[in-house]
Amino acid sequence: MLLVGAAGYIGSHVVNLLLNPTEGYGPIESILDGATSEIVIIDDFSNSTMDSIDYLKKKGNFTFYQETLLNYEKIDKIFQQHKFHTVLHFAAFKSVGESVASPLKYYENNLMSLINILKLMQKYKVGNLLYSSSATVYGDCEMSDLPLTEKSSVKMPLTPYGKTKFFVEEICKDCDIKTICLRYFNPVGYVLRENSKYQTNLFPVIMSVIKGEKDKLLVYGNDYPTKDGSPVRDYIHINCLGRAHILALNYFQGMESNFEVFNLGTGKGYSVLEVIGEFERQGYTVKYEIVDRREGDAAAVFADAGKARELLGWKAEYGLTEMVRDSFI
Ligand code: UD1
């Protein structure tokens, strides 16, 4: 199988699990056998470094190419050299703020990388695509929409980053390739090899404050209609997220439709102040200041992950305690 963008945060966890299915919280059953499980990774290191590849090389065998997916001819050559049955696509830029500042960079990278891959999948008759989508496709959701199920209405997100996730799902629906889009809620937990240059998500910012790299955390608002006034999100441990990919790969075999989406969240929302509280409970000091709301933030977002439980046999095993515990591994 081919994994694109797999030197990054989530992809590297999935590769690690594919190479070591017993890591994490117990063995995971995989239908993948030796004949079909050759692993090929393509990454251009736009948001990662060779470090994660070196780390993964110690865990098992795979072939790695440093290449951008925007270079169709080069990627075509890689497809010629291998027989893929499935592509896992993690190769997207993910900073919301940066996408607002540089929309074309996001549209070009996140959409063209996908279109090139889809064209090559059609050309070489590669049947299955597992795509990293996001809860951002639910757009600006209201409290009355919660919990979000896959049947909740998908709305055009406000930011270019969010729009690319929305468009990708639509593009995949129109193509004759079996696609599973995994809608991640808020992935957190340890990073095998950190790489991202743009750290604006809550957990990485808290960790920078704890490490003394940042003065304090700015808490964006405490006047939301939530339990303590700070916004609520569905954080999900990276291990749980990684395992869902393996189960989704298994699911391709019996999949009857051409397009499926799954919410990946714990189903439980935590407020920003609760997250800070858990870090403090575990012995860390998190200096913070409450400031105005961040534009575009919803009061609360959390999933109903019942479909993934029912059809993939997946459920998030870890909660906030483990997410915080494993942040500094
Ligand atoms: C953000 C993106 C979302 C993307 C997701 C990827 C926005 C509006 N949304 O979601 O499109 O899919 O990341 O993980 O950017 N917070 C603070 N101070 C900080 C950072 C965050 O108070 O310095 C709060 C936010 O207000 C929010 C919560 O922490 O309530 C989580 O924020 P974040 O990690 O940025 O994720 P989302 O906003 O949910």
Side-chain angles (χ1 to χ4, degrees):
M1 73 187 79
L2 171 66
L3 296 92
V4 296
Y9 178 39
I10 293 165
S12 57
H13 274 273
V14 174
V15 175
N16 191 36
L17 263 180
L18 285 167
L19 297 172
N20 304 280
T22 53
E23 278 206 5
Y25 43 74
I28 187 160
E29 210 179 295
S30 169
I31 56 155
L32 304 167
D33 57 38
T36 54
S37 62
E38 183 202 10
I39 292 175
V40 176
I41 296 177
I42 305 177
D43 202 297
D44 64 358
F45 295 143
S46 54
N47 219 358
S48 57
T49 66
M50 191 64 192
D51 238 24
S52 56
I53 296 300
D54 289 341
Y55 175 85
L56 291 168
K57 282 273 178 204
K58 292 184 202 132
K59 301 296 197 107
N61 287 328
F62 59 87
T63 307
F64 173 68
Y65 297 94
Q66 182 177 351
E67 193 53 72
T68 168
L69 299 181
L70 300 180
N71 191 332
Y72 180 87
E73 277 71 32
K74 288 263 176 67
I75 305 299
D76 189 340
K77 289 215 169 72
I78 298 173
F79 271 76
Q80 276 170 35
Q81 284 168 45
H82 301 270
K83 177 88 192 90
F84 301 127
H85 55 88
T86 299
V87 176
L88 289 80
H89 191 297
F90 305 96
F93 293 154
K94 61 173 185 181
S95 164
V96 174
E98 194 197 16
S99 81
V100 174
S102 310
L104 286 179
K105 177 176 170 183
Y106 272 65
Y107 289 128
E108 180 184 46
N109 186 66
N110 292 7
L111 299 180
M112 287 312 298
S113 70
L114 175 91
I115 290 168
N116 282 344
I117 285 293
L118 288 173
K119 280 164 69 181
L120 289 165
M121 288 179 75
Q122 284 184 339
K123 180 171 174 187
Y124 292 97
K125 302 199 176 0
V126 182
N128 308 322
L129 174 68
L130 185 57
Y131 182 79
S132 299
S133 190
S134 163
T136 194
V137 299
Y138 294 112
D140 197 8
C141 69
E142 304 290 333
M143 296 294 263
S144 56
D145 299 328
L146 300 171
L148 294 162
T149 75
E150 291 79 355
K151 291 203 171 96
S152 298
S153 61
V154 163
K155 298 181 203 123
M156 179 67 76
L158 295 173
T159 65
Y161 157 78
K163 285 178 189 166
T164 64
K165 294 287 168 182
F166 178 93
F167 293 146
V168 163
E169 288 200 359
E170 293 304 308
I171 292 168
C172 291
K173 269 185 216 166
D174 291 339
C175 293
D176 195 21
I177 287 170
K178 259 191 205 174
T179 302
I180 297 178
C181 288
L182 299 177
R183 291 178 179 163
Y184 306 156
F185 278 65
N186 290 63
V188 299
Y190 65 94
V191 182
L192 288 177
R193 284 289 175 271
E194 187 41 293
N195 26 47
S196 178
K197 294 169 218 144
Y198 306 96
Q199 293 292 12
T200 54
N201 290 117
L202 182 65
F203 271 62
V205 175
I206 291 180
M207 286 159 69
S208 305
V209 172
I210 291 170
K211 285 191 253 171
E213 294 162 3
K214 263 200 163 89
D215 271 2
K216 61 188 167 196
L217 165 74
L218 301 179
V219 174
Y220 300 131
N222 68 345
D223 57 351
Y224 285 97
T226 58
K227 42 196 153 184
D228 56 25
S230 65
V232 166
R233 294 290 183 273
D234 190 340
Y235 300 96
I236 169 170
H237 194 291
I238 188 76
N239 263 346
C240 305
L241 195 72
R243 291 166 74 89
H245 290 73
I246 313 293
L247 295 169
L249 290 174
N250 293 349
Y251 187 74
F252 274 121
Q253 238 188 16
M255 185 166 146
E256 280 162 15
S257 62
N258 243 3
F259 183 81
E260 285 287 355
V261 295
F262 291 99
N263 283 346
L264 297 182
T266 62
K268 191 166 164 38
Y270 291 99
S271 73
V272 174
L273 294 177
E274 281 176 324
V275 172
I276 296 171
E278 181 57 30
F279 272 95
E280 296 198 320
R281 201 184 63 77
Q282 296 196 25
Y284 301 105
T285 304
V286 183
K287 268 179 71 184
Y288 69 91
E289 182 190 337
I290 310 238
V291 296
D292 285 348
R293 292 179 177 196
R294 182 172 68 178
E295 209 184 310
D297 269 352
V301 181
F302 54 91
D304 176 331
K307 183 177 172 189
R309 189 167 55 241
E310 195 187 319
L311 299 185
L312 303 182
W314 174 86
K315 107 174 176 350
E317 302 281 343
Y318 287 158
L320 188 60
T321 308
E322 290 84 4
M323 294 179 215
V324 169
R325 183 197 68 195
D326 295 345
S327 283
F328 285 99
I329 288 179

